[in-house]
């Protein structure tokens, strides 16, 4: 229901009187009533260009059809979206758009998610009256990651508006005029801004092609999961697309509280290490690979024989995994926990408000909630001192980041001072030399659980693995198996179950559960009524 | 070595005056490009870059504007730039025949320049002289109500004047 104070407008949509917030465009207002008007150049995140004309509708206020993406609703306005005039206008625009379009869908990466293809199917003619030669426009690289296939461009200017308004870098322009116009860059100034990949997403056709995804998959064969980017502490909402269980592409997922419709290129293309030849894929001891049960027995043996165990956590672990580490640490007396942080990167903020964080990891905030604010500060220094003075023999360390150096040189050097090391790592690296046990670690896209972004937003990330086809037991499973073997856990739980345990013992998470987090996350402080910050603890 | 381009002091004065005539700097782009054209003789990549930097607008934007219009003398254009209007009125009155004739006589298609660097041929959008269609623009002059003979004559004339070293 509209807010009492918001002025509303009464108008007529396809013969039915309807009401919307005043000032909306016809297109947006109609969509609120379930009437989808086709559009190419309109994008909710960009300024209105009104150049493609596909969104024309019949209006009682105009002798000619009007474009619904820019025309606003008004009292008494009567709009028809399916009348003969409207349908005819739409079909004519479609025919016009297709005059020079190659319709090379069979070899086009956009096929299956192409707006032109969809509208052509529903509004286009089934044959062409155009017998002249089609125009040829350039196919070329516009930058290191993007090419233009000019023949497919419908000159909607979404991509140029993106570079003008969202990234603020203005590398793209439309050159030439009329049926020769096409997207280009100034000679010698390629498109290489940190948000460039988004232009490919918003291109309604297959004109902008990402080199990374070119000819990689037909989009209808891929499976999709709502997830979160682990590239930095912003926690951009993303969709992970896989083919036969392998990641093929990451796409931003709309979340107006976090990333709008966008994501950065570093996050978008930063998943190749998942399939690196240097992946640690099985547990091993000094004498070779260990199967799951033997690795757990070996782990327990070490714990049993260690007077004092220390844990070095990382900011990639989910809150659930951290909770399990916390429980494990609590179950052995006199344990120490500290955390390591990857080197800071560069932060960036763009004209339209999109931000990239300098913290190149997803869950520092969550770890501080689970272990207390000093875990990367005073606790970490304390742990380092204890390692230095030789008072720690056994340490369990985690590295879920993409760096083969693990926790970095300083920490690696400190770790060596503990004679028995159990190390979790995504990639092989020198820091694993001499370890008592090495376990494969899950990379951010493989984790199932929650992270807390730098804005205190609790969000759910989902594993790109096919359920039941996991290459190795992730930390969530392994740490629970350990607990079972130690006799501290009676049954193993999903990430949601572990989160419930966490919310019962850790005040910042009190009152929350996985299903309430939903697809767009929530602020840690947004508790259901009746649950105080201290509740549940 | 690329020569660093720069407006002469008098052109710079004109540019500064232009800025006072437009609500925004960007709005003064078209006449500024005209200044650049007369100062540098043509508009190519360095000239566009100079104008973009001078006016503090994205080079890509200048590129888009320069290529949208057919009115600027782009780098590499021949001495005689023949622009045949190909929009509706002219098309209906036979502009395609005019283009074909020029192609036959000069051996170049629209978008090309003769090897001798004398002639460039373009098809352009409406030049605002629809009542005298078909028509073409040769450098700054209009040639209207064209017949094929007129086209032949024009080319001969231009060849003559090129020989004479004048025009
Ligand atoms: S490349 Fe795509 S987004 Fe850009 S103008 Fe062409 S069709 Fe539109
Ligand atoms: S800004 Fe951060 S969270 Fe967002 S896509 Fe980039 S790396 Fe990922
Ligand atoms: S969507 Fe309205 S004109 Fe393009
Ligand atoms: S159509 Fe040729 S001058 Fe207008």
């Amino acid at each position: 229901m509209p807010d009492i104070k918001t002025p509303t407008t009464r108008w007529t949509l396809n013969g039915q009187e309807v009401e919307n917030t005043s000032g909306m465009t016809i297109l947006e207002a109609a969509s609120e009533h379930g009437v989808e008007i086709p559009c190419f150049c309109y994008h909710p995140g960009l300024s209105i260009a009104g150049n493609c004309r596909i969104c024309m509708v019949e209006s009682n206020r105009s002798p000619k059809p009007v474009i619904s993406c820019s025309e606003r609703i008004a009292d008494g306005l009567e709009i028809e979206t399916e009348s003969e005039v409207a349908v005819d206008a739409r079909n004519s625009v479609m025919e016009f758009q297709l005059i020079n379009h190659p319709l090379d869908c069979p070899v086009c990466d956009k096929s299956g998610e192409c707006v032109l293809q969809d509208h052509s199917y529903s509004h286009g003619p089934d044959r062409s009256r155009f017998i002249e030669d089609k125009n040829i426009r350039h196919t070329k690289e516009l930058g290191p990651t993007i090419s233009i296939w000019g023949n497919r461009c419908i000159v909607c200017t979404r991509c140029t508006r993106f570079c003008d308004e969202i990234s603020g870098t203005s590398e793209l322009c439309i050159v030439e005029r009329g049926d020769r116009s096409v997207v280009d860059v100034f000679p010698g100034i390629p498109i290489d801004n940190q948000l460039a990949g988004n232009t490919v997403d918003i291109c309604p056709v297959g004109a902008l092609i990402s080199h990374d995804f070119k000819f990689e998959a037909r989009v209808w064969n891929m499976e999709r999961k709502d997830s979160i980017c682990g590239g930095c502490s912003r926690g951009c909402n993303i969709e992970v697309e896989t083919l036969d269980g392998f990641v093929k592409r990451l796409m931003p997922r709309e979340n107006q509280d976090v990333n709008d419709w966008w994501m950065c290129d570093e996050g978008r293309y930063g998943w190749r290490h998942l399939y690196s030849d240097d992946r640690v894929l099985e547990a091993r001891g000094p004498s070779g690979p260990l199967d799951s049960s033997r690795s757990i027995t070996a782990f327990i043996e070490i714990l049993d024989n260690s007077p004092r165990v220390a844990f070095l956590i990382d900011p990639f672990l989910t809150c659930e995994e951290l909770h399990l580490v916390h429980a494990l640490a609590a179950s052995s007396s006199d344990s120490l926990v500290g955390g390591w942080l990857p080197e800071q990167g560069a932060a960036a903020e763009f004209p339209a408000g999109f931000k990239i964080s300098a913290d190149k990891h997803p869950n520092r905030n969550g770890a501080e909630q689970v272990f207390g604010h000093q875990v990367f500060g005073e606790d970490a220094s304390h742990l380092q001192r204890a390692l230095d003075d030789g008072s720690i023999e056994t340490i369990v360390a985690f590295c879920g980041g993409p760096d083969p150096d693990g926790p970095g040189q300083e920490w690696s050097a400190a770790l060596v001072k503990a004679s028995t090391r159990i190390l979790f790592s995504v990639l092989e690296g020198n820091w694993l030399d001499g370890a008592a046990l090495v376990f494969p670690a899950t990379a951010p896209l493989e984790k199932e659980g929650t992270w807390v972004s730098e804005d205190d937003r609790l969000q759910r990330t989902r594993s790109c693995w096919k359920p039941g086809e996991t290459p190795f037991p992730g930390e969530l499973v392994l740490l629970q198996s350990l607990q079972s073997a130690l006799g501290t856990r009676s049954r193993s739980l999903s990430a949601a179950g572990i989160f419930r345990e966490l919310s019962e013992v850790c005040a910042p998470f009190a009152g929350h559960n996985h299903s309430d987090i939903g697809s767009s996350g929530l602020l840690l402080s947004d508790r259901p009524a009746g649950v105080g910050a201290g509740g549940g603890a | 070595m690329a020569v660093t381009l720069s407006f002469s002091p008098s052109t710079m004065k004109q540019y500064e005056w232009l800025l006072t005539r437009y609500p925004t700097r960007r709005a003064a782009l078209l006449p500024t490009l005209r200044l650049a054209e007369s100062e540098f003789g043509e508009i190519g990549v360095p000239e566009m870059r100079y104008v973009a930097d001078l006016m503090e607008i994205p080079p890509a934007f200048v590129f888009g504007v320069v290529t949208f219009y057919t009115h600027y003398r782009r780098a590499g254009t021949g001495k005689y730039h023949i622009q045949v209007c190909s929009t509706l009125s002219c098309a209906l009155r036979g502009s395609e025949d005019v283009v074909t004739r020029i192609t036959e006589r000069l051996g170049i298609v629209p978008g090309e320049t003769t090897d001798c660097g004398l002639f460039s041929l373009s098809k352009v959008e409406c030049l605002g002289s629809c009542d005298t269609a078909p028509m073409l623009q040769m450098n700054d002059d209009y040639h209207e109500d064209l017949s094929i003979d007129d086209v032949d004559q024009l080319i001969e004339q231009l060849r003559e004047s090129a020989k004479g070293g004048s025009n």
Side-chain angles (χ1 to χ4, degrees), chain A residues 171 173-177 185-186, chain B residues 59-60 63-64 67-68 74 125:
Chain A
E171 300 103 324
C173 62
I174 308 284
V175 292
E176 296 294 339
R177 170 173 170 178
V185 289
F186 190 85
Chain B
F63 189 36
T67 56
F68 177 89
R74 295 194 209 171
E125 309 298 337

Side-chain angles (χ1 to χ4, degrees), chain A residues 2 119 140 149 160 189 212 291 373 380 447 454 484 496 509 512:
Chain A
H119 294 341
K140 64 185 251 196
W149 292 47
T160 60
I189 308 182
D212 193 65
D291 66 23
H373 282 272
K447 291 182 186 292
E454 63 183 7
S484 307
F509 298 93
H512 296 310

Side-chain angles (χ1 to χ4, degrees), chain A residues 85-321:
Chain A
V85 171
V87 170
D88 190 47
R90 209 146 62 206
N91 291 355
S92 305
V93 169
M94 226 25 251
E95 186 173 11
F96 186 64
Q97 290 286 11
L98 292 175
I99 279 183
N100 278 306
H101 193 83
L103 283 173
D104 53 349
C105 313
V107 295
C108 177
D109 284 312
K110 201 74 171 196
S111 187
E113 57 181 15
C114 172
V115 188
L116 187 73
Q117 196 178 43
D118 292 348
H119 294 341
S120 172
Y121 185 71
S122 39
H123 313 288
D126 63 350
R127 63 207 65 203
S128 175
R129 290 188 289 164
F130 188 70
I131 50 168
E132 289 80 3
D133 289 339
K134 290 191 185 230
N135 260 357
I136 306 291
R137 289 171 290 169
H138 60 219
T139 299
K140 64 185 251 196
E141 285 190 9
L142 296 179
T145 54
I146 296 173
S147 286
I148 172 93
W149 292 47
N151 290 341
R152 298 177 185 152
C153 175
I154 59 168
V155 202
C156 69
T157 71
R158 275 186 181 186
C159 58
T160 60
R161 277 177 284 149
F162 180 89
C163 292
D164 288 340
E165 297 162 16
I166 310 296
S167 68
T169 46
S170 296
E171 300 103 324
L172 296 182
C173 62
I174 308 284
V175 292
E176 296 294 339
R177 170 173 170 178
D179 58 358
R180 299 177 308 283
S181 38
V182 67
V183 167
D184 206 346
V185 289
F186 190 85
I189 308 182
I191 172 169
D192 61 356
N193 69 72
Q194 289 168 287
L195 305 183
N198 295 293
T199 59
V200 177
D201 302 343
I202 60 172
C203 177
V205 297
L208 291 181
I209 291 292
S210 142
H211 299 165
D212 193 65
F213 184 64
K214 190 167 88 175
F215 304 146
E216 280 289 318
R218 307 268 61 193
V219 301
W220 57 88
N221 290 330
M222 295 197 291
E223 285 174 48
R224 294 175 174 77
K225 275 191 201 166
D226 286 358
S227 199
I228 304 295
C229 175
C232 79
S233 294
R234 290 303 301 158
C236 287
N237 289 210
I238 59 170
E239 222 170 49
V240 179
E241 300 182 309
T242 55
L243 185 67
D244 300 330
F246 288 96
V247 173
K248 287 286 164 188
R249 180 170 73 168
L250 306 186
M251 294 279 266
R253 182 162 56 85
E254 179 185 347
N255 186 334
Q256 292 303 314
D257 292 318
V258 184
N259 53 310
D260 297 335
W261 296 263
W262 327 118
M263 73 184 295
C264 80
D265 282 9
E266 202 177 322
R268 181 186 298 268
Y269 303 125
W271 52 269
R272 291 279 171 188
H273 66 283
L274 292 184
Y275 309 114
S276 156
D277 290 343
D278 288 336
R279 246 353 259 270
V280 177
L281 288 171
E282 52 185 5
R284 65 171 185 255
S287 49
L290 298 169
D291 66 23
S292 172
S293 70
R294 280 171 56 219
S295 68
I296 291 191
T297 317
F299 201 136
I300 302 250
E301 226 165 78
I302 292 176
L303 291 185
D304 281 348
N305 294 322
S306 305
R308 194 179 193 203
V309 185
F311 295 84
L312 180 64
I313 58 155
D314 72 24
F316 298 96
L317 293 162
T318 61
C319 297
E320 291 77 358
E321 291 164 341

Side-chain angles (χ1 to χ4, degrees), chain B residues 6-139:
Chain B
S6 166
F7 277 172
S8 66
S10 72
T11 309
M12 196 57 98
K13 253 211 186 99
Q14 290 182 60
Y15 166 66
E16 269 149 22
W17 175 80
L18 275 176
L19 290 185
T20 67
R21 312 301 302 159
Y22 290 87
T24 63
R25 195 193 293 260
R26 201 177 268 232
L29 177 58
L30 291 183
T32 306
L33 284 167
R34 267 279 182 260
L35 288 183
E37 187 183 35
S38 52
E39 176 98 24
F40 307 125
E42 61 180 20
I43 305 282
V45 171
E47 292 78 13
M48 287 189 280
R49 189 65 205 251
Y50 173 73
V51 170
D53 291 349
L54 175 72
M55 302 187 76
E56 291 168 16
I57 52 185
F61 184 81
V62 176
F63 189 36
V65 168
V66 167
T67 56
F68 177 89
Y69 292 102
T70 50
H71 312 82
Y72 296 107
R73 196 176 175 80
R74 295 194 209 171
T77 307
K79 179 169 184 188
Y80 303 119
H81 188 193
I82 305 177
Q83 310 181 53
V84 183
C85 171
S86 303
T87 308
L88 192 60
S89 309
C90 292
L92 290 173
R93 301 268 296 153
S95 65
E96 208 44 46
D97 297 337
V98 173
V99 173
T100 311
R101 185 59 174 176
I102 299 172
T103 296
E104 279 167 15
R105 296 295 305 264
L106 299 179
I108 51 172
V109 296
E112 290 182 341
T113 300
T114 52
D115 289 341
C116 56
L118 221 47
F119 296 99
S120 291
L121 174 61
S122 314
K123 285 201 317 194
V124 301
E125 309 298 337
C126 181
L127 290 168
S129 187
C130 315
D131 57 328
T132 58
M135 59 83 64
L136 62 75
Q137 178 180 345
M138 203 293 298
N139 290 351

Side-chain angles (χ1 to χ4, degrees), chain A residues 10-34:
Chain A
R10 293 191 74 79
W11 58 296
T12 306
L13 176 63
N14 294 339
Q16 274 202 314
E17 205 164 296
V18 291
E19 204 171 293
N20 289 87
T21 309
S22 301
M24 291 182 96
T25 61
I26 298 169
L27 187 126
E28 288 161 346
S31 152
E32 287 195 347
H33 299 290

